[in-house]
Amino acid sequence: MIAKRLADSGAAFIADIVGISADLFRHAAGDDALDRLGEALGRICQFNDFIVLLYRPQSRPLILTTNLGMEWLADRLSDYIDGLYLLDPYYQKAVAEESGFHRLTDISPEDYFISEYHDHFYQHTNIVEETRFIVPLDQGGSLQVLVARAGDDVKFQDIELDLLRAFHPLVSEYCRFHLAQAGRHYGASPQGADSFDLRDKIAALPGAQLTAREIDTVELMLKGHSTKSVARLLNIDDGTVSNHKRNIYQKLDIHSQAQLFNLFLESLTG
């Protein structure tokens, strides 16, 4: 039993947790419920950035709230909302309808942090470490609560990560309850324009005429997979991947992975 494992300091800790939980559920149905969630998580451990995103089937992501300023963040994430989210490791979790608390470093392909996508997406930020609570929804997709360290802060300590992870069941039920009460309010956002298929977008790159296996290769390259990772996932050898890359570059009249990413980005904004 929990009582047998508690010292005096443990009892005080439990009292803090109960207080945070009670305060949350007093506001779960309110318009400021998600902002209250950010405040509650801030009482568990310090962080800089707080963003809540809603991923729904066949729709672009919605920014539900943030402590960074909605107008600034919407401008900052314009390329992401326009289609780069399709390359986001956290979006892959949404598609798979997975749940949990995850660090970006734990779910990313091996070359993700040197990929063109990462450089482009994070070039205007000073994020040190990103984590998210992932809450799958009954109607598909997920709600994701981002908490990140930025600037001169250090990465989250193990005890902080353990505490945040322990809060996932509470965060999950809180968010699901709030969406059940206020979900229609978010559905009216103009950000909810229809999405598109990543493979279709790759196939339509100017002058491409790529084969199905070349489309597979481009998709994995854009997501930050190394040659070895592409080979492993497609069950082919490294030399075959290199041949696919050479053919892809020739068909697209480009010479580097950076040019490939820029071509893809232009296809989104154009």
Side-chain angles (χ1 to χ4, degrees):
M1 294 177 64
I2 293 176
K4 293 181 179 179
R5 298 164 57 188
L6 289 177
D8 290 342
S9 59
F13 171 73
I14 293 296
D16 287 341
I17 299 302
V18 171
I20 291 172
S21 303
D23 185 61
L24 270 179
F25 277 94
R26 278 194 294 270
H27 300 92
D31 293 341
D32 63 344
L34 296 177
D35 295 316
R36 294 278 187 169
L37 176 60
E39 294 171 4
L41 294 174
R43 292 169 61 185
I44 299 170
C45 74
Q46 182 272 332
F47 56 83
N48 306 97
D49 297 356
F50 174 76
I51 306 170
V52 181
L53 294 157
L54 179 60
Y55 297 89
R56 301 173 300 174
Q58 307 305 317
S59 297
R60 301 182 186 189
L62 296 176
I63 306 169
L64 302 189
T65 193
T66 181
N67 66 341
L68 302 174
M70 286 291 286
E71 185 176 346
W72 178 88
L73 187 64
D75 180 68
R76 166 70 185 84
L77 295 185
S78 59
D79 287 344
Y80 182 84
I81 298 297
D82 282 342
L84 285 184
Y85 68 90
L86 295 166
L87 308 180
D88 187 351
Y90 283 112
Y91 176 71
Q92 312 311 316
K93 294 289 184 183
V95 171
E97 299 183 354
E98 294 188 26
S99 179
F101 174 79
H102 299 280
R103 289 190 304 173
L104 181 58
T105 52
D106 294 333
I107 65 172
S108 301
E110 57 192 49
D111 276 2
Y112 174 80
F113 289 95
I114 58 172
S115 69
E116 300 300 326
Y117 166 77
H118 180 270
D119 287 349
H120 178 86
F121 186 55
Y122 285 90
Q123 67 177 332
H124 300 302
T125 76
N126 54 357
I127 289 179
V128 174
E129 185 169 44
E130 178 180 338
T131 68
R132 293 193 197 184
F133 297 88
I134 301 178
V135 181
L137 305 175
D138 293 338
Q139 63 270 35
S142 71
L143 186 143
Q144 300 191 7
V145 179
L146 177 154
V147 292
R149 287 265 173 86
D152 295 329
D153 263 336
V154 298
K155 293 183 177 182
F156 293 104
Q157 298 179 23
D158 288 343
I159 183 61
E160 293 173 317
L161 293 169
D162 289 342
L163 279 171
L164 290 169
R165 188 173 293 109
F167 261 78
H168 181 266
L170 176 62
V171 172
S172 179
E173 291 306 315
Y174 181 83
C175 290
R176 289 165 65 88
F177 177 83
H178 175 66
L179 283 184
Q181 303 298 312
R184 283 180 291 181
H185 167 71
Y186 301 122
S189 170
Q191 293 176 356
D194 286 343
S195 181
F196 48 79
D197 183 81
L198 175 58
R199 293 178 61 82
D200 289 346
K201 207 69 176 178
I202 293 171
L205 290 174
Q209 297 183 334
L210 301 175
T211 66
R213 186 43 58 92
E214 288 168 349
I215 292 173
D216 293 337
T217 303
V218 171
E219 179 179 358
L220 293 172
M221 290 168 63
L222 290 172
K223 289 179 178 178
H225 289 272
S226 66
T227 296
K228 290 186 179 296
S229 180
V230 172
R232 182 175 64 253
L233 291 170
L234 298 183
N235 196 28
I236 56 180
D237 58 47
D238 293 3
T240 303
V241 175
S242 297
N243 288 336
H244 286 325
K245 286 185 177 181
R246 184 165 51 250
N247 292 335
I248 291 163
Y249 288 172
Q250 183 176 12
K251 289 180 179 181
L252 297 177
D253 192 24
I254 58 175
H255 306 283
S256 68
Q257 196 155 330
Q259 289 179 308
L260 174 63
F261 177 82
N262 287 334
L263 195 63
F264 177 70
L265 182 60
E266 289 171 5
S267 76
L268 299 179
T269 58

